Amino acid sequence: MGLKFEIRYTPVVELVKVSGDLSILGEFCKKVYGINVDVKKFPIKILQRKHMSLFEFIDTIWYIEASRVFTHELVRHRIASYWQESQRYVKTKPIFLLPRSLVEKVKISEFEKLIGLLADLYSFYQDLASETREFGEDFKQFARYILPQCVLTRIYAKFNLRELIEVVFPLRMCKRAQPEFRYVVIKMYLKLKEVLGEYNEILKYTGPRCVWYGKCPEFGYTNEDVMKKCRVEAYKEAILEHGTDEEIKRIDEIIQQLP
């Protein structure tokens, strides 16, 4: 195979911008209701009561490099905005993002077959994408149909804080979520925790659905020890499949920072 391509395990997750400040929630309360509140404690108080509309005033923008498997699931979250790399106008690079298990836990013959298939598919794509058919038509828009879902893509995503706390974290940090999605959202949670500073305590009230609801709607668990064990297993699997070597070494330390 003359083609050089790259296999990655780890998505890139960057917090580009946070718009708004949680202190504004207390200011709203003062102006609208004429009530003086503790600006630092007020966001936690309304979060505990599940009064979530005020959190829509805080926006976050993320840059993510991950597989198309991931982005096909990401865009199901509709209270968001997306801007994704085009396969129609941009020639896709031979970079494939896979879970470690698909590379390290299969037979050598299966791994060689996988690599051969990816190389053959991309070579065929490259040949088709470089051609211009009659009428000067750019053939990339047709060649992209044969690309595998594990091909790397780049996407910007914007979520308000309510959507993250109430929907994205509960659904996608759960053990039932795809490990790649789980890993991305774990990174989002930790990065948000850093930038929220004195307000990061609000994040201890969100996480997988067993944290948000106080019980597990997926498996029916109600015992906190059982739910905690399930959460730890979910975090561990996501990091082992998609974390960097350094994150895997620090896996216990990272898990301690999660709900």
Side-chain angles (χ1 to χ4, degrees), residues 32-215:
V32 174
Y33 299 109
I35 301 172
N36 286 321
V37 297
D38 185 322
V39 173
K40 292 182 182 178
K41 293 181 180 178
F42 182 68
I44 296 171
K45 189 173 291 187
I46 60 172
L47 180 63
Q48 288 173 324
R49 296 174 182 176
K50 301 290 193 287
H51 294 170
M52 299 301 296
S53 59
L54 283 173
F55 291 95
E56 294 173 16
F57 288 88
I58 311 297
D59 280 329
T60 64
I61 299 176
W62 304 84
Y63 170 76
I64 302 168
E65 293 181 11
S67 73
R68 281 254 167 180
V69 173
F70 162 77
T71 57
H72 287 338
E73 292 197 352
L74 176 68
V75 296
R76 293 176 184 170
H77 292 278
R78 301 314 312 151
I79 313 299
S81 298
Y82 303 105
W83 186 31
Q84 185 169 10
E85 176 183 26
S86 170
Q87 286 184 336
R88 188 178 183 192
Y89 297 108
V90 178
K91 190 171 182 180
T92 300
K93 295 179 181 178
I95 304 173
F96 305 101
L97 196 143
L98 300 169
R100 278 188 174 81
S101 289
L102 201 55
V103 175
E104 298 178 355
K105 294 183 181 179
V106 297
K107 298 174 184 176
I108 293 176
S109 59
E110 291 173 326
F111 175 70
E112 290 174 346
K113 185 177 181 180
L114 169 65
I115 297 302
L117 285 170
L118 291 176
D120 288 345
L121 270 176
Y122 187 81
S123 293
F124 187 31
Y125 161 79
Q126 201 170 30
D127 290 343
L128 289 173
S130 63
E131 294 186 25
T132 301
R133 302 297 166 113
E134 59 181 327
F135 311 118
E137 190 169 37
D138 189 337
F139 222 63
K140 285 198 293 294
Q141 64 177 322
F142 301 121
R144 62 182 172 148
Y145 278 83
I146 69 166
L147 287 168
Q149 288 196 96
C150 62
V151 72
L152 191 79
T153 187
R154 299 162 179 83
I155 190 168
Y156 281 91
K158 185 179 82 168
F159 296 97
N160 66 52
L161 194 54
R162 177 181 185 170
E163 182 71 4
L164 290 177
I165 289 173
E166 196 174 43
V167 180
V168 178
F169 291 158
L171 277 176
R172 304 304 183 172
M173 290 177 79
C174 175
K175 193 174 185 178
R176 290 296 295 268
Q178 183 81 12
E180 183 185 0
F181 208 148
R182 211 182 309 149
Y183 174 82
V184 169
V185 175
I186 285 171
K187 294 290 287 184
M188 292 170 72
Y189 181 98
L190 292 173
K191 288 178 179 294
L192 201 54
K193 193 174 182 180
E194 288 177 12
V195 302
L196 287 179
E198 61 186 351
Y199 293 103
N200 68 19
E201 191 180 347
I202 67 169
L203 293 180
K204 77 178 185 181
Y205 296 98
T206 187
R209 281 190 281 181
C210 58
V211 175
W212 182 243
Y213 294 115
K215 60 182 179 181

